[in-house]
Amino acid sequence: MRAVVVTTFGGPEAVEVVETVVPEPAARQVRIKVAAAALNPVDAGARSGVFGGDGERIGLGWDVAGTVDATDAGSAWSVGDEVVALHHGPVKPLGTHAEYVVVDTDAVAKAPAGVDAVHAATLPLNALAAVQALDQLELTPERSLLVTGAAGAVGGYAVQLAAHRGISVTGMAREADEEFVRSLGAAHFTTGDGGGFDAVLDAAILGAAALERVRDGGAYVGVIPGTAPASVRGIRVAELGVVADGARLAELAALVEEGVLTLRVAGTYPLDEAAKAHARLAEGGMRGRIVLVP
């Protein structure tokens, strides 16, 4: 089968499509025939060596939508089930940017009904990151929340999820994105002014600049490990280490079916053009995710 890997760190030119063996599921695992797999900034980080793994073959891809192809004997999943899953880990020999991938059973959820695989593939990583970050903030409906990078993939899901919980959300993004961010459910919009929020979900990784907008004793969560600023003024500071969670992913898929969450695709590329997809990702300026299709 074909799989996207890097064997030397670098830019988009480092991306390779190689032939490799089809993986076999072990106990409490399933094999998924990949229909679509989103490309995320974390893949660019793995490609460029941010997470280490020098000298190893690193498989790219965290998100997957596809069909169960093989399971262990006691699995709750059956061959032919349409699913989505998060294949966690920045340094792994085989990712979801492949024709087949093996993932843990408890990382898998039923794909949202009425949604094509390309759109479904944009759900797992970014929506799980958003909901797990919100959980860390422990906000009740009467509290106020600032989401930085509100027009982005994680930020957009965070706005929608927080608004669904009844939280007063202010979205921070570029001025040109105001109408879009408000359409996601943000009650207020800012390009950077204002403060006094009960909490900030820092999807744009602004760090200390975002922390300044939190009231004394409030809460801050950054979505990339190792980037959170030091606590000041009694603010509780945390950073997200997203984890695979099939049960939670199933809840998010249900919210897609209910129209609470919007799945956004910026474009698609064939698996064989993965390097071109990485080059497009590096250009930025997209709403939604690029998706690779085997």
Side-chain angles (χ1 to χ4, degrees), residues 4 11-13 15 17 37-41 43-44 47 60 97 266-284 286 288-293:
V4 179
E13 73 284 350
V15 174
V17 180
L39 174 64
N40 290 283
D43 297 307
R47 182 202 74 217
L60 301 180
H97 296 169
T268 61
Y269 285 79
L271 191 69
D272 288 336
E273 295 183 5
K276 291 182 179 179
H278 275 253
R280 177 64 189 92
L281 177 66
E283 293 174 1
M286 295 176 295
R289 288 288 179 237
I290 291 171
V291 178
L292 296 178
V293 180

Side-chain angles (χ1 to χ4, degrees), residues 81-292:
D81 287 343
E82 294 184 358
V83 296
V84 290
L86 177 66
H87 187 24
H88 184 274
V91 181
K92 53 203 174 194
L94 181 65
T96 63
H97 296 169
E99 292 182 279
Y100 295 88
V101 66
V102 166
V103 299
D104 293 340
T105 300
D106 59 8
V108 181
K110 183 180 177 181
V115 175
D116 62 70
V118 168
H119 282 80
T122 67
L123 181 69
L125 176 58
N126 295 288
L128 281 171
V131 75
Q132 290 171 12
L134 284 172
D135 289 346
Q136 286 186 278
L137 290 171
E138 300 177 340
L139 292 174
T140 51
E142 69 272 13
R143 299 297 183 182
S144 61
L145 171 68
L146 174 68
V147 176
T148 71
V154 174
Y157 282 134
V159 169
Q160 291 185 310
L161 288 165
H164 183 63
R165 295 181 181 186
I167 296 165
S168 177
V169 186
T170 298
M172 180 188 291
R174 298 175 302 175
E175 185 176 353
D177 290 321
E178 179 174 0
E179 182 179 354
F180 173 69
V181 171
R182 288 185 181 276
S183 76
L184 297 175
H188 309 284
F189 178 84
T190 180
T191 57
D193 296 329
F197 295 96
D198 293 308
V200 169
L201 192 160
D202 189 14
I205 320 301
L206 301 180
L211 195 68
E212 291 178 0
R213 312 200 183 284
V214 184
R215 65 164 174 80
D216 294 358
Y220 167 101
V221 170
V223 298
I224 297 182
T227 62
S231 174
V232 295
R233 298 183 284 109
I235 297 171
R236 177 169 56 89
V237 172
E239 53 191 19
L240 176 69
V242 66
V243 296
D245 185 338
R248 206 62 189 280
L249 185 54
E251 295 174 3
L252 295 166
L255 291 177
V256 172
E257 294 175 358
E258 294 170 20
V260 174
L261 295 181
T262 304
L263 304 175
R264 294 182 285 156
V265 174
T268 61
Y269 285 79
L271 191 69
D272 288 336
E273 295 183 5
K276 291 182 179 179
H278 275 253
R280 177 64 189 92
L281 177 66
E283 293 174 1
M286 295 176 295
R287 286 183 179 170
R289 288 288 179 237
I290 291 171
V291 178
L292 296 178

Side-chain angles (χ1 to χ4, degrees), residues 16-83:
E16 304 176 49
V17 180
V18 300
E19 289 289 338
T20 190
V21 297
V22 176
E24 294 294 333
R28 296 182 295 280
Q29 290 185 322
V30 300
R31 184 171 67 208
I32 298 172
K33 180 179 173 63
V34 179
L39 174 64
N40 290 283
V42 69
D43 297 307
R47 182 202 74 217
S48 59
V50 169
F51 306 108
D54 188 24
E56 302 178 38
R57 189 185 82 172
I58 300 172
L60 301 180
W62 290 52
D63 288 313
V64 61
T67 305
V68 174
D69 174 74
T71 71
D72 72 345
S75 176
W77 297 102
S78 301
V79 172
D81 287 343
E82 294 184 358
V83 296

